[in-house]
Amino acid sequence: MTFELLENEDSLTVRARDVDLFRYVHRPVMDPFEAPKPYLHPVRTLAGDVVTGYRPHDHRWHKGVQITASWLSGQNFWGGGTYLRGRGYVDLPNLGTMRSLSLTAGTCHGRAVITEDLAWRTMAGEHWIDERRTLTACEVEADSWTLEVTTALTNVLDTGLVFGSPGTQGRELAGYSGLFWRGPRDFTGGEVIGPAMGEKGDWLAFVGRHDEVDRSSTLLFLDDPDTPCHWFVRSEPIPAVNPSLAFDTELPLAPGDTLSRRYRIVVADGAWTSGRLSRYVAEHPW
């Protein structure tokens, strides 16, 4: 399968079979309240159906697929209010930015690869984390394609950092942090196959039906096999999936240390069954 890369000043689009599979916006322009960071939207199936949501009215900072951090030593790289134990969500001057420093992209051996270096800076301008991120589009099959996401986060401070979430701050079943997918509004009430909220598991799938067209799509999320997560997942009131970095337990990162994670997202046409999902995972090991 041949991939095409379409580049402009602030984004890059990956195409295959005459379909724009995804647009990666690496130099976003957005309100600081939304914690500016790169994102993928729209993401499409091979049939051309959009499977991501963008700036929904309930959470303006949700943008397709993003790497996020809802709590990082008191800073918020997620967007919106910050959850504080005993106080709930509070708007604070602590909204950070993930700024793209350099980006390279190319195609080779049936893959499209985007490699990016980013700097995580607080609202006060302090440089806390260097990130190396790679997005790889690959494994185009009859009715699906795969996006691999790897990230390496290095603490550049001389003090330790701590990843957390509203869950670690006391909000029950709200442990979102890390790679996050927000689905389109028509996926609300979709079917979740796999672990329930807060449970562990190697993979989780979300099946949704599209408005206007008589079609369904499936997204299969595979967690990092070396560091099993607790899943944050909702079908209602919003469609969302997140293999959480810190669901209910804080994750420390010492000075100079690097936190690495890798994930796969399979974007498929149709409503895949549990049996087909299990077979796919068995036939496509890491």
Side-chain angles (χ1 to χ4, degrees), residues 116-194:
E116 184 178 26
D117 291 314
L118 304 99
W120 293 30
R121 295 184 180 273
T122 67
M123 182 172 278
E126 296 176 345
H127 182 186
W128 279 21
I129 285 180
D130 277 340
E131 180 186 359
R132 167 59 64 92
R133 180 180 303 179
T134 303
L135 308 174
T136 304
C138 57
E139 295 182 14
V140 175
E141 302 189 0
D143 60 353
S144 68
W145 65 277
T146 297
L147 175 69
E148 296 182 350
V149 180
T150 66
T151 181
L153 309 173
T154 301
N155 179 357
V156 298
L157 296 175
D158 57 5
T159 59
L161 292 171
V162 177
F163 286 89
S165 68
T168 66
Q169 295 302 306
R171 186 184 175 202
E172 187 177 4
L173 300 180
Y176 49 84
S177 187
L179 179 72
F180 186 81
W181 166 78
R182 172 65 189 255
R185 194 165 297 280
D186 49 0
F187 276 26
T188 303
E191 181 183 11
V192 176
I193 302 174

Side-chain angles (χ1 to χ4, degrees), residues 16-21 42-51 145 210 213 215 217 267 269:
R17 294 185 188 170
D18 296 322
V19 175
D20 291 347
L21 299 181
V43 178
R44 293 184 174 89
T45 66
L46 290 172
D49 295 322
V50 176
V51 294
W145 65 277
H210 297 279
V213 295
R215 286 196 294 265
S217 297
V267 182
D269 297 314

Side-chain angles (χ1 to χ4, degrees), residues 68-71 78 83 85 89 162-180 195-201 204 223 227-234 240-252 259 261 263:
T68 64
S70 54
W71 175 274
W78 176 273
Y83 190 86
R85 189 181 299 272
Y89 286 97
V162 177
F163 286 89
S165 68
T168 66
Q169 295 302 306
R171 186 184 175 202
E172 187 177 4
L173 300 180
Y176 49 84
S177 187
L179 179 72
F180 186 81
M197 173 73 85
E199 294 181 350
K200 286 189 174 183
L204 181 148
D223 189 24
T227 53
C229 75
H230 294 269
W231 289 90
F232 175 89
V233 56
R234 284 181 177 164
V241 174
N242 160 230
S244 181
L245 286 176
F247 188 86
D248 55 13
T249 303
E250 291 183 336
L251 178 63
L259 172 67
R261 292 291 187 272
Y263 307 99

